[in-house]
Amino acid sequence: MGRKKVENGLTKDMIVEEADRQFLQIDFQKVSMRSIASALGFSHGSIYYHFQNKTDLFNAVIEKYFTILNNLLDSALKFDCLEGTKYVLTNYIQFGLDNQSQYDFMFVKHDGLNDPLQQIAPKESLKKFNHTLQCLHKHTLDENNIHSTFIALHGFVLYYKGRVENFEQAQEEAQSYTDFLLKTLVR
């Protein structure tokens, strides 16, 4: 099969989707711009038309998942304060356990890239987490308690990550844990 020209339809979204697939199936270090381009039927140079390097492409893949997580936080604002808070806590855990590899890349490791928790997207997501809970509770929650709650959720996901295949397998424990966190956060 011959290579297609960039003008013939290669989009950033196509590249991000293929890169996401390869990052999940193959170790990040083993994925190359050539392998992504080849799977899409384009030259590797056409990938560089959209992304400067593999790190930029990796960040675009991760941004896709932060968008999903941030939309989840936005959805909580349609509930009252307690329902919305429980929604945030439960769905954060569900996101982490249903997307374990992506969660790893988002918050835990970057296979030779910079510390994920020092990157802009995780910091912005934490700010959004804080903002969502503050909005639900009319800015009456202590920010340190919100941060501690985020760390507790992160710990829950890390504990169950690899022990279960998805949220459903830890749903009962997650419900109990979110009830506990809700009581400690909203005293």
Side-chain angles (χ1 to χ4, degrees):
M1 171 171 82
R3 301 283 186 219
K4 303 170 198 160
K5 291 183 177 179
V6 174
E7 303 87 48
N8 290 343
L10 182 64
T11 66
K12 275 187 161 186
D13 287 340
M14 290 169 57
I15 298 167
V16 167
E17 289 305 313
E18 180 58 29
D20 185 20
R21 187 185 69 69
Q22 288 192 29
F23 291 151
L24 291 174
Q25 291 180 349
I26 308 168
D27 183 70
F28 169 79
Q29 298 297 343
K30 294 179 182 172
V31 173
S32 68
M33 298 296 252
R34 281 187 194 278
S35 68
I36 294 166
S38 177
L40 294 169
F42 288 87
S43 71
H44 72 281
S46 60
I47 303 288
Y48 289 105
Y49 177 78
H50 295 284
F51 297 96
Q52 282 187 336
N53 52 45
K54 190 166 75 168
T55 300
D56 285 347
L57 177 53
F58 179 83
N59 289 333
V61 170
I62 295 307
E63 186 62 38
K64 176 178 88 165
Y65 291 101
F66 276 111
T67 298
I68 294 167
L69 185 57
N70 291 338
N71 287 340
L72 178 145
L73 293 171
D74 287 338
S75 296
L77 296 174
K78 65 185 175 191
F79 299 108
D80 69 29
C81 67
L82 293 179
E83 277 183 77
T85 303
K86 183 145 179 135
Y87 179 89
V88 167
L89 303 178
T90 302
N91 283 283
Y92 182 90
I93 291 172
Q94 183 172 1
F95 175 86
L97 294 180
D98 284 346
N99 301 284
Q100 293 180 34
S101 294
Q102 296 90 336
Y103 187 88
D104 233 11
F105 285 131
M106 293 166 72
F107 291 107
V108 182
K109 66 177 181 171
H110 270 205
D111 287 333
L113 299 173
N114 295 329
D115 176 6
L117 293 178
Q118 299 306 314
Q119 301 302 311
I120 292 171
K123 286 181 178 182
E124 290 302 314
S125 189
L126 178 55
K127 282 182 189 176
K128 187 156 192 71
F129 181 87
N130 185 329
H131 176 75
T132 301
L133 291 179
Q134 289 291 18
C135 285
L136 285 166
H137 293 273
K138 300 186 181 357
H139 300 276
T140 60
L141 297 177
D142 181 272
E143 292 208 16
N144 289 325
N145 290 344
I146 293 173
H147 185 74
S148 294
T149 300
F150 178 82
I151 297 301
L153 290 171
H154 182 62
F156 185 94
V157 171
L158 292 180
Y159 178 80
Y160 280 95
K161 186 175 78 56
R163 288 184 167 92
V164 298
E165 290 182 29
N166 55 41
F167 174 75
E168 187 177 335
Q169 294 178 342
Q171 188 168 2
E172 189 174 316
E173 295 89 345
Q175 296 300 329
S176 177
Y177 195 66
T178 56
D179 288 341
F180 169 76
L181 289 177
L182 186 61
K183 288 176 190 171
T184 59
L185 181 64
V186 185
R187 303 177 213 193

